Amino acid sequence: MWFWDARNPKESAYALEEFHHPEDLALKLTSQNPELADQDLVDDQDFPKFADRDYQVEAIKSIEEAIKDGKKRILLAMATGTGKTRTAIALMYRLLKHKRARRILYLVDRNSLGQQTADAIKDNKIGNLSIASIYGVKELKDKLPDASTKIQIATVQGMIKRLFYNDDKEEKPSVGQYDFIIVDEAHRGYAEDKELSEKEYHFYDQNDYVSQYRRVVDYFDATAIGMTATPALQTTDIFGKPVYSYSYQQAVLDNYLVDHDAPTIIKTKLSQEGIHFKKGAEIDLFDQLSESIKSEKLPDNMNFEVKDFNKRVITESFNRVVCDYLAQNCLNPNDPDLGKTLIFAATDSHADMVVRLLKESFKNAGNPVDDDAIEKITGSIRHPNNEIKLFKNEKNPNIAVTVDLLTTGVDVPEITNLVFLRRVQSRILYEQMLGRATRLCPEIYKSVFNIYDAVGIYDAMNKVTNMKPVVKNVSHDVHYFIDQKHQFEVNDNFKQYQIDMTAAIDRKIKRMNDSKRKEFERLTEINSIDQWARDLPRLNNQEFLKEWKNFEQLDRLSTGSHKQYISNEPDEYLGIERGYGQGNSNPEDYIESFNKFIKENVNEIPALKIVATRPKDLTYDELKKIKLELEKKGFKENDLQTAWKSANQIQTTADIISFIRQAAVGSELVDHNVRIHNAMQKVYGMADWNMVQKSWLKKIENQLLSSTVLGPNAETAFSSNYFKRQGGYKQMRKIFSDNADQIVYVLNENLYV
């Protein structure tokens, strides 16, 4: 059956399995002419806010450009956790908005992902309206769309049944029912591990699944858009090469995903030496179908390596040793700030064993956990979707043991630990497993995620995976790279140093709380620490080195540790010693280094020269800049006061201006409140002030105590936010008449004498 759209006579006819229903053709005529709609999409630069990251916008533009070029099979490759679903929803909105699409089919491979997508369509909004309310959406339970339906969600399995195993012709979708199909997790069905099948499609073997999956895509007269984090050969055979790719490494460098730490390889005697059975030995065999155990004698020697553990050979002792190690050294379900854990088991019965052993291990380690803190979440449990919601949204379960159900598409940002207790053969599946832990989670200051590998999967997959850690040595922090500046200046491998340092910066930023992030932005005068870090990988050598002063500033900021170590060693009091500034161990050194800095820079920094020679001309903004510059060098007003007290046994409240003037010109160090009190006494003696005027003079005095300076003249002084809220300079003139200007003059002449 051949179809030709006469509205675009230059487009070639193409073959279809069946002819369009009359309703399909009628709906096609309600859509915009494709050429006009394609141009509208190009002209529309307004992208929904829920998918407006640079790479998401580029992904949408690339797909729309491919549509404009007439491609019927399009592939988008975006790393797990970078928002493929939100990007797809934004694309659907734009296609429907410009009438390039009449109705879109969103295909998923399992019910849980279908529900997750439906929730996302309801949650993401344009203005105050959700996408679901703007366009009619049919969910998994709905077999056929209504005439007004714009988006329908279905599983591949459900669509296979409706198209090819359906005796009811009324329920069979027509060939023209959709004009766009978006296939989520387009890699699915190509894994080499048959154990991953869920009950809802267990009756298909691998080849059957792939062929049926392709038949769904080929059946409809629709443009098919595949989305995946892990393109495979079979994926590109169907959809072609990706029109846009956004890798895991790039997302980590852009601060949108979390890097993973070097894996912890858990070695046991059995995992290193293997398990060996002698010919004639009588051993127990577990039959998974009947779930029964029987004994038999071996006709030959049998040897099992660690890759066979928990699949071909059941070894409780191996799993117990691993669980004991995890409970004693790595995991703590009783502390939610440490994040959640996902454990990959080999079979459903193996998952049961791991749950039991882990609970015993925590109890034996003196850290018993709630019964629901560790749970199996596989396709065999009664309400898997409910358990996934609990794992995602509630404190418990904190540790989930899965076989297949949580390997793709499930978004739980709190996952900080992955434990591998089974091997897989598929690179795609392995990368999907790693992808469960890549998402950001600032609530628990997640900077990296941990991999605990008991079966050697990391080494086995390391040669083929694209999800290697971005940073070569995760133990190298920002401070390490600060000390390696010469490598950036002379090393030919500059780019790798840049990537490694950027990743270290990213990890530190993720551990910083809001106040530390704001402090860094204030000290560096950078608008957004996240955008700054995101831009670093794209800088050339010279641009990167220009940022060095900001790297040093970041290095000086403490993130605060989120781990606590306990020691029971006895202690006794010996005395105190305080450290000041950067590397100064005593107050005398701190005062001396401050004085040295002022003397060396008083003629180099204009604001410092004003303080030293003409303090009455100083503005409040100039004072803020001076304080900021000094703080970057480690000199703070409070630290100077306490260091002075320690060095001279004299308490002082002298402000930063007094300290600067003492260092620069030898002025006497005067307490802040005394200096202001003395200057105000001159003002109080200027005239016989009435009660209203005295009240305002008190306000001026209080403002000086908090801000240190007023300004070089009355108009500037009374234009500050504090006085502006109360009428500003104009109001001061009403209250004090000509004395308003004289008050500021007298104060400035007497504040620093």
Side-chain angles (χ1 to χ4, degrees):
M1 191 71 66
W2 289 80
F3 179 78
W4 180 54
D5 188 343
R7 294 175 301 172
N8 297 293
K10 294 181 181 180
E11 294 293 331
S12 301
Y14 50 89
L16 297 174
E17 287 196 23
E18 298 177 5
F19 198 71
H20 286 272
H21 285 195
E23 296 85 354
D24 298 335
L25 295 175
L27 277 175
K28 269 189 177 293
L29 293 173
T30 66
S31 64
Q32 173 81 284
N33 183 293
E35 288 187 359
L36 297 176
D38 289 338
Q39 189 58 49
D40 287 345
L41 286 169
V42 171
D43 295 339
D44 184 1
Q45 296 300 308
D46 184 21
F47 293 83
K49 292 190 180 300
F50 56 80
D52 62 354
R53 292 176 177 175
D54 291 345
Y55 66 87
Q56 292 170 330
V57 170
E58 287 304 312
I60 293 169
K61 285 182 176 179
S62 298
I63 293 172
E64 291 174 350
E65 190 65 34
I67 294 171
K68 183 180 178 182
D69 291 343
K71 291 186 177 180
K72 300 286 282 184
R73 298 290 181 266
I74 301 167
L75 185 62
L76 172 64
M78 286 171 60
T80 298
T82 55
K84 289 190 296 295
T85 302
R86 291 197 305 275
T87 302
I89 294 172
L91 174 66
M92 289 193 292
Y93 166 74
R94 286 171 59 84
L95 292 173
L96 293 168
K97 172 185 174 183
H98 293 289
K99 296 185 178 180
R100 183 61 174 87
R102 303 166 298 114
R103 185 181 294 130
I104 300 170
L105 173 64
Y106 195 100
L107 272 183
V108 296
D109 77 305
R110 57 183 64 189
N111 290 329
S112 58
L113 298 188
Q115 187 57 55
Q116 188 170 285
T117 302
D119 292 340
I121 294 174
K122 294 171 187 174
D123 292 340
N124 288 296
K125 297 181 178 181
I126 302 294
N128 295 323
L129 296 175
S130 70
I131 302 298
S133 63
I134 297 174
Y135 302 113
V137 177
K138 290 291 185 181
E139 299 185 32
L140 295 173
K141 62 182 182 295
D142 303 303
K143 292 186 177 180
L144 292 173
D146 295 331
S148 61
T149 299
K150 299 298 183 184
I151 301 171
Q152 181 165 12
I153 303 168
T155 62
V156 174
Q157 296 78 23
M159 194 56 67
I160 287 172
K161 291 177 182 177
R162 287 173 225 169
L163 290 174
F164 310 123
Y165 300 94
N166 186 7
D167 294 330
D168 188 347
K169 299 297 183 184
E170 296 296 320
E171 289 189 355
K172 182 178 180 179
S174 64
V175 71
Q177 194 156 278
Y178 313 100
D179 42 22
F180 279 89
I181 302 173
I182 295 179
V183 185
D184 197 4
E185 306 292 355
H187 60 275
R188 186 65 169 167
Y190 307 137
E192 299 170 25
D193 299 84
K194 294 182 181 179
E195 301 91 357
L196 299 178
S197 301
E198 289 183 50
K199 286 191 295 185
E200 58 186 330
Y201 56 84
H202 73 274
F203 47 84
Y204 299 112
D205 64 27
Q206 187 71 12
N207 292 331
D208 185 36
Y209 186 91
V210 173
S211 63
Q212 298 288 37
Y213 178 89
R214 187 163 194 163
R215 281 189 69 192
V216 172
V217 172
D218 291 343
Y219 172 80
F220 292 105
D221 179 15
T223 298
I225 301 167
M227 300 191 306
T228 181
T230 49
L233 178 62
Q234 298 95 325
T235 324
T236 54
D237 280 347
I238 296 176
F239 296 99
K241 293 183 178 180
V243 297
Y244 181 82
S245 297
Y246 189 66
S247 69
Y248 167 71
Q249 285 88 349
Q250 190 60 54
V252 170
L253 292 173
D254 287 347
N255 199 23
Y256 290 125
L257 290 183
V258 173
D259 202 3
H260 64 270
D261 211 337
T264 298
I265 309 299
I266 304 173
K267 294 183 178 181
T268 72
K269 188 172 186 294
L270 288 179
S271 71
Q272 297 303 294
E273 297 180 359
I275 296 175
H276 309 282
F277 295 122
K278 296 289 186 182
K279 178 181 177 180
E282 187 168 308
I283 64 170
D284 291 331
L285 293 176
F286 176 70
D287 188 320
Q288 293 189 45
L289 293 177
S290 64
E291 295 187 348
S292 61
I293 297 175
K294 61 180 181 179
S295 298
E296 69 175 43
K297 285 187 177 182
L298 290 179
D300 294 296
N301 292 335
M302 294 198 72
N303 301 299
F304 298 97
E305 299 178 11
V306 68
K307 63 183 177 64
D308 302 312
F309 287 13
N310 305 318
K311 283 187 177 180
R312 294 184 63 206
V313 59
I314 298 172
T315 165
E316 182 165 320
S317 60
F318 164 76
N319 287 282
R320 185 179 295 280
V321 170
V322 173
C323 288
D324 285 345
Y325 174 82
L326 293 172
Q328 293 168 15
N329 301 282
C330 310
L331 311 179
N332 184 5
N334 292 320
D335 187 350
D337 289 339
L338 297 179
K340 296 198 170 193
T341 300
L342 185 58
I343 299 177
F344 296 106
T347 64
D348 201 71
S349 58
H350 179 223
D352 287 326
M353 177 199 294
V354 172
V355 170
R356 172 175 58 83
L357 292 176
L358 261 183
K359 289 180 179 179
E360 292 175 4
S361 294
F362 280 111
K363 185 177 181 180
N364 294 335
N367 186 27
V369 300
D370 294 338
D371 188 59
D372 61 348
I374 306 171
E375 289 190 0
K376 176 181 76 173
I377 303 181
T378 68
S380 70
I381 64 176
R382 187 175 181 185
H383 299 295
N385 289 343
N386 290 342
E387 293 304 314
I388 291 173
K389 285 183 179 179
L390 290 174
F391 186 50
K392 181 176 181 178
N393 300 316
E394 302 296 335
K395 176 186 175 183
N396 286 333
N398 178 274
I399 298 176
V401 185
T402 191
V403 178
D404 57 346
L405 202 58
L406 298 176
T407 52
T408 66
V410 177
D411 178 6
V412 184
E414 288 83 1
I415 293 176
T416 55
N417 306 298
L418 297 179
V419 180
F420 288 96
L421 293 178
R422 78 125 185 272
R423 286 273 191 102
V424 295
Q425 298 174 2
S426 166
R427 170 191 66 85
I428 296 171
L429 177 59
Y430 174 67
E431 292 185 1
Q432 287 292 322
M433 289 169 156
L434 290 183
R436 296 313 97 215
T438 59
R439 287 167 174 79
L440 300 174
C441 191
E443 293 81 5
I444 59 173
Y445 305 105
K446 178 179 173 184
S447 59
V448 295
F449 67 90
N450 307 303
I451 299 171
Y452 300 102
D453 179 8
V455 292
I457 188 173
Y458 189 87
D459 285 341
M461 287 289 171
N462 200 34
K463 294 179 181 178
V464 295
T465 182
N466 293 318
M467 290 185 66
K468 298 173 183 178
V470 173
V471 63
K472 298 300 181 185
N473 191 328
V474 293
S475 66
H476 290 168
D477 57 11
V478 176
H479 187 73
Y480 168 85
F481 288 108
I482 292 294
D483 291 339
Q484 297 290 313
K485 186 179 181 183
H486 63 282
Q487 296 285 1
F488 291 83
E489 295 173 325
V490 301
N491 199 296
D492 292 336
N493 196 24
F494 167 84
K495 199 63 186 177
Q496 187 58 54
Y497 274 89
Q498 181 178 356
I499 289 172
D500 287 356
M501 184 171 188
T502 300
I505 288 169
D506 177 51
R507 291 198 304 275
K508 180 160 187 174
I509 289 172
K510 288 187 175 87
R511 295 195 301 269
M512 292 166 64
N513 59 31
D514 287 344
S515 64
K516 287 294 182 183
R517 293 161 69 91
K518 289 176 182 176
E519 183 180 357
F520 176 78
E521 290 170 346
R522 178 177 62 82
L523 292 173
T524 57
E525 300 181 77
I526 287 172
N527 291 330
S528 166
I529 187 173
D530 292 321
Q531 189 59 53
W532 171 74
R534 206 168 290 140
D535 293 338
L536 292 178
R538 298 176 177 85
L539 302 181
N540 61 35
N541 191 328
Q542 188 176 5
E543 293 169 336
F544 193 78
L545 288 172
K546 284 182 179 179
E547 294 293 324
W548 209 266
K549 66 182 190 313
N550 293 331
F551 301 154
E552 293 173 334
Q553 190 63 57
L554 182 68
D555 181 43
R556 288 193 286 269
L557 286 177
S558 169
T559 60
S561 176
H562 300 288
K563 296 181 179 179
Q564 294 178 301
Y565 300 90
I566 300 173
S567 171
N568 295 314
E569 290 290 321
D571 200 2
E572 61 180 288
Y573 180 76
L574 298 177
I576 64 167
E577 183 178 280
R578 291 194 61 172
Y580 295 87
Q582 301 164 26
N584 296 298
S585 60
N586 59 65
E588 289 83 3
D589 287 345
Y590 186 63
I591 296 293
E592 183 181 342
S593 61
F594 172 78
N595 291 340
K596 181 181 178 183
F597 176 82
I598 297 299
K599 289 174 182 176
E600 290 177 349
N601 291 277
V602 69
N603 293 318
E604 303 296 326
I605 302 175
L608 275 182
K609 191 166 186 177
I610 294 174
V611 173
T613 60
R614 305 189 319 277
K616 62 183 179 181
D617 294 336
L618 191 66
T619 67
Y620 181 64
D621 285 341
E622 287 171 332
L623 178 61
K624 284 200 301 183
K625 288 182 180 179
I626 290 171
K627 286 186 173 181
L628 181 63
E629 192 65 34
L630 290 174
E631 196 172 331
K632 290 178 182 179
K633 303 300 180 182
F635 302 119
K636 297 182 181 180
E637 192 173 85
N638 287 342
D639 287 348
L640 287 166
Q641 291 169 354
T642 54
W644 183 267
K645 177 183 177 182
S646 297
N648 300 285
Q649 286 75 53
I650 298 174
Q651 177 71 53
T652 182
T653 60
D655 58 33
I656 196 70
I657 294 176
S658 288
F659 278 105
I660 293 171
R661 284 176 57 77
Q662 185 202 49
V665 298
S667 296
E668 182 184 357
L669 203 62
V670 180
D671 283 356
H672 181 60
N673 56 333
V674 172
R675 184 170 55 80
I676 291 170
H677 173 77
N678 291 339
M680 286 300 302
Q681 288 302 106
K682 299 288 186 180
V683 172
Y684 284 124
M686 284 173 53
D688 292 327
W689 307 109
N690 61 39
M691 293 300 295
V692 174
Q693 291 171 328
K694 286 180 179 178
S695 172
W696 275 95
L697 290 176
K698 191 64 179 174
K699 290 180 180 180
I700 293 172
E701 183 174 1
N702 289 338
Q703 181 61 13
L704 262 177
L705 286 169
S706 64
S707 65
T708 305
V709 298
L710 285 176
N713 55 62
E715 191 165 354
T716 302
F718 296 131
S719 295
S720 68
N721 289 335
Y722 175 78
F723 290 109
K724 192 180 291 184
R725 289 193 298 267
Q726 303 181 66
Y729 177 62
K730 187 176 181 180
Q731 181 67 12
M732 294 298 107
R733 293 277 299 179
K734 285 182 180 179
I735 293 169
F736 293 107
S737 187
D738 293 337
N739 282 325
D741 293 270
Q742 188 66 16
I743 287 170
V744 175
Y745 175 80
V746 170
L747 282 172
N748 284 333
E749 288 296 318
N750 290 277
L751 278 170
Y752 302 98
V753 292

